[in-house]
């Protein structure tokens, strides 16, 4: 089948298997060019198929030589419908891992459910015995609560008062004003229920109770803060409330694990184009400006560069540095004073007329296409490709 990108708002409903493989290969090649990290041995990545979770799986494998189990929620191809990008990413990841004799198995299921947790625990018992690193990198629009059965929905809204902001439609390159109405208390509760720390705590408790968490194991999850400009929609909005809950969970898990030398951290990462972040209003404009400034200064990083830095300079280094709230700050370059000063100045001036010159909207759009395997120079998009690809370990 010849596959072209098809858009529905900020979602692309098709994915290109060869382009996704190309993107995975680029990330693997980057990691292989760096010094190896004496890091984890057996790693569980929850949310392992795209974005920061995929990058974490790639760094664990190709930098530290770790065995990995990846959990995600993706769709295989059906009829003429392509699989999701995360499915093709995992096909490509597992193929390279297998060729190079790394253990890599994947579970496609709802990470919020008790069944998926049990399935993962059985697989760890059977194949690895225990895991010494658990990366929790889920970004989900909803969660069926495993105890109450309630379906919780994560809306992205301001809290307390409405928020009016410039916003960029990166397809048409139009900058226009949007106003978002505040979330109700109920919407805040549900967003925290989906993206907060409860499920992470449930995972760690289940792994501990089953005896599959190694003594001294580390667990980490990813958060975001960003500039004051985006506080109303991010840090002080529904998603920020959820991140507050995630950060509180890190402290709770840390104190539970610490008696056996275990640790739990939150790493505050840089804003990057992923399927999750493109859903957040105003962020596309902020990121397009940020990328322009960071690229000009030579300090722009992508997901795999961020996670490699996390491993080499923080998690597996002897001089980890935490902020006053105990968090790792991989957003340190994004938040540099001079970067933020320039972004803010550009934000004030940017409009439809000058967005191409003032921002890196082209780079943002390119990153967006690449999430789905499009826009790679050396992929022949006019050629027929097989869309029915199986994830090797899922067919084992
Ligand atoms: P993403 O959309 O690329 O990845 C989400 C992952 O979660 C995918 O592997 C997906 O399959 C999986 N997933 C979703 N629902 C699931 C379910 N019910 N069961 C199993 N797996 C499920 O998102 P991204 O951006 O990599 O986000 C990961 C974490 O990083 C999130 O906590 C996010 O808030 C955080 N973060 C993201 C930043 C960004 O700019 N993208 C910045 C800082 C933190």
């Amino acid at each position: 089948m010849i596959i072209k990108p098809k858009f529905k708002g900020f979602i692309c409903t098709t994915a290109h298997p060869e382009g996704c493989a190309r993107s995975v290969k680029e990330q693997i090649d980057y990691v292989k060019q760096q010094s190896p990290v004496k890091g984890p041995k057996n790693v569980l990545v929850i949310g392992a198929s795209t974005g920061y979770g995929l990058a974490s799986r790639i760094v664990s494998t190709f930098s530290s030589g770790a065995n990995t189990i990846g959990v995600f929620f993706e769709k295989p191809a059906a009829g003429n419908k392509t699989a999701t990008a995360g499915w093709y990413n995992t096909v490509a990841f597992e193929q390279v891992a297998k060729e190079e004799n790394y253990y890599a198995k994947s579970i496609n299921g709802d990470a919020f459910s008790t069944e998926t947790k049990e399935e993962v625990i059985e697989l760890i018992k059977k194949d690895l015995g225990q895991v010494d690193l658990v990366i929790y990198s889920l970004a989900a629009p909803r969660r069926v609560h495993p105890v109450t059965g309630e379906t919780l929905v994560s809306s992205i809204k301001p809290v307390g008062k409405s928020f009016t902001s410039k916003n960029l439609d990166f397809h048409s390159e139009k900058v226009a004003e949007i106003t978002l109405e505040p979330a109700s208390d109920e919407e805040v509760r549900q967003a925290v229920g989906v993206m907060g720390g409860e499920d992470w705590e449930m995972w760690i408790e289940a792994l501990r109770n089953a005896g599959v968490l190694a003594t001294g194991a580390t667990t980490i999850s990813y958060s975001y803060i960003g500039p004051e400009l985006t506080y109303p929609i991010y840090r002080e909005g529904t998603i920020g409330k959820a991140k507050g809950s995630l950060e509180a969970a890190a402290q709770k898990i840390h104190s539970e694990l610490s008696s056996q030398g275990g640790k739990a951290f939150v790493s505050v990462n840089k804003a990057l184009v992923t399927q999750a972040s493109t859903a957040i209003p105003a962020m596309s404009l902020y990121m397009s400006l940020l990328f322009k400034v960071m690229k000009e200064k030579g300090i722009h990083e992508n997901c795999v560069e961020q996670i490699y830095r996390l491993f080499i300079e923080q998690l597996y280094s002897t001089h980890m540095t935490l902020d006053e709230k105990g968090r790792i700050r991989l957003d340190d370059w994004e938040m540099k004073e001079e970067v933020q000063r320039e972004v803010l100045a550009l934000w004030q001036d940017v409009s439809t007329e000058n967005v191409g010159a003032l921002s890196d909207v082209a780079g943002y759009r390119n990153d967006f296409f690449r999430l789905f395997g499009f826009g790679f120079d050396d992929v022949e998009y006019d050629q027929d490709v097989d869309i029915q690809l199986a994830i090797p370990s899922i067919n084992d």
Side-chain angles (χ1 to χ4, degrees):
M1 199 173 114
I2 293 172
I3 310 159
K4 300 279 172 203
K6 270 195 205 140
F7 299 110
K8 246 196 213 161
F10 52 78
I11 291 172
C12 181
T13 56
T14 53
H16 199 284
E18 286 181 9
C20 290
R22 188 73 189 71
S23 149
V24 168
K25 185 177 179 302
E26 258 184 17
Q27 297 184 61
I28 294 174
D29 287 348
Y30 168 79
V31 168
K32 284 183 177 173
Q33 284 156 15
Q34 314 306 311
S35 316
V37 178
K38 204 166 169 302
K41 293 194 166 49
N42 295 316
V43 182
L44 169 62
V45 185
I46 303 158
S49 54
T50 54
Y52 275 118
L54 173 64
S56 306
R57 192 175 194 189
I58 289 173
V59 173
S60 299
T61 306
F62 295 98
S63 191
S64 301
N67 305 311
T68 62
I69 292 177
V71 182
F72 45 78
F73 211 22
E74 301 292 346
K75 286 201 184 106
N80 269 347
K81 226 175 162 316
T82 70
T84 50
W87 181 276
Y88 291 138
N89 289 340
T90 305
V91 172
F93 167 81
E94 281 202 15
Q95 274 169 355
V96 184
K98 254 196 175 160
E99 275 161 27
E100 301 190 14
N101 294 318
Y102 293 115
Y103 171 98
K105 288 208 176 165
S106 304
I107 289 180
N108 189 32
D110 180 7
F112 295 126
S113 73
T114 306
E115 293 73 31
T116 299
K117 293 183 176 72
E118 285 169 355
E119 207 183 321
V120 169
I121 287 167
E122 283 318 303
L123 185 60
I124 298 173
K125 279 187 184 163
K126 181 165 84 68
D127 288 358
L128 304 177
Q130 291 187 320
V131 288
D132 55 296
L133 176 64
V134 178
I135 296 166
Y136 187 84
S137 186
L138 281 191
R142 67 186 63 79
R143 169 183 179 214
V144 177
H145 195 282
V147 178
T148 64
E150 182 188 9
T151 299
L152 302 157
V153 177
S154 176
S155 52
I156 301 168
K157 292 188 177 183
V159 173
K161 54 179 193 284
S162 64
F163 172 53
T164 298
S165 166
K166 284 183 178 174
N167 189 47
L168 169 67
D169 176 336
F170 61 89
H171 291 301
S172 64
E173 297 199 6
K174 287 209 167 84
V175 178
E177 207 162 73
I178 47 159
T179 296
L180 300 157
E181 293 309 320
S184 64
D185 291 349
E186 176 56 17
E187 285 172 317
V188 174
R189 181 187 72 84
Q190 292 205 19
V192 172
V194 180
M195 288 295 286
E198 188 190 28
D199 183 59
W200 184 21
E201 288 181 40
M202 286 179 161
W203 267 101
I204 299 303
E205 195 187 345
L207 296 167
R208 278 183 87 195
N209 290 345
V212 297
L213 200 60
T215 306
T218 296
T219 184
I220 186 153
S221 188
Y222 302 136
S223 188
Y224 183 67
I225 298 174
E228 280 182 32
L229 197 62
T230 61
Y231 275 7
I233 190 59
Y234 199 98
R235 196 61 200 186
E236 289 169 356
T238 47
I239 185 78
K241 301 285 173 207
K243 289 302 181 194
S245 153
L246 191 81
E247 291 170 20
Q251 292 183 355
K252 200 165 151 216
I253 298 169
H254 189 80
S255 59
E256 283 162 10
L257 297 183
S258 58
S259 62
Q260 293 178 347
K263 303 176 200 81
F265 298 106
V266 155
S267 171
V268 180
N269 295 354
K270 175 187 185 216
L272 281 170
V273 183
T274 65
Q275 291 188 41
S277 68
T278 51
I280 308 172
M283 284 301 283
S284 54
L285 182 57
Y286 167 69
M287 278 194 237
S288 299
L289 298 170
L290 178 74
F291 294 177
K292 170 100 176 165
V293 173
M294 291 186 83
K295 283 178 186 175
E296 277 173 5
K297 294 188 182 306
I299 54 170
H300 181 74
E301 293 170 296
N302 60 25
C303 284
V304 82
E305 289 167 333
Q306 278 263 292
I307 301 301
Y308 179 75
R309 185 151 73 92
L310 171 69
F311 273 50
I312 190 113
E313 289 184 7
Q314 298 292 340
L315 280 186
Y316 296 99
S317 133
T318 47
H319 31 266
M320 178 189 259
T321 45
L322 302 176
D323 73 5
E324 72 295 347
K325 292 192 171 153
R327 303 170 296 203
I328 296 169
R329 298 301 295 267
L330 287 184
D331 65 341
D332 47 356
W333 298 352
E334 170 180 351
M335 298 313 292
K336 274 176 189 280
E337 211 245 313
E338 67 270 25
V339 170
Q340 287 302 322
R341 197 175 347 101
E342 286 181 36
V343 170
L344 188 59
L346 291 170
W347 178 278
Q348 274 149 5
D349 288 347
V350 74
S351 65
T352 302
E353 288 65 43
N354 61 19
V355 69
L358 295 195
S359 83
D360 185 28
V361 58
Y364 183 99
R365 195 172 43 241
N366 199 34
D367 287 354
F368 175 81
F369 274 102
R370 283 174 165 237
L371 293 179
F372 304 94
F374 298 105
F376 289 91
D377 289 342
D378 48 356
V379 174
E380 294 187 27
Y381 291 101
D382 292 329
Q383 298 287 308
D384 254 330
V385 280
D386 184 7
I387 60 166
Q388 308 284 343
L389 302 184
I391 293 176
S393 77
I394 283 179
N395 274 10
D396 268 357

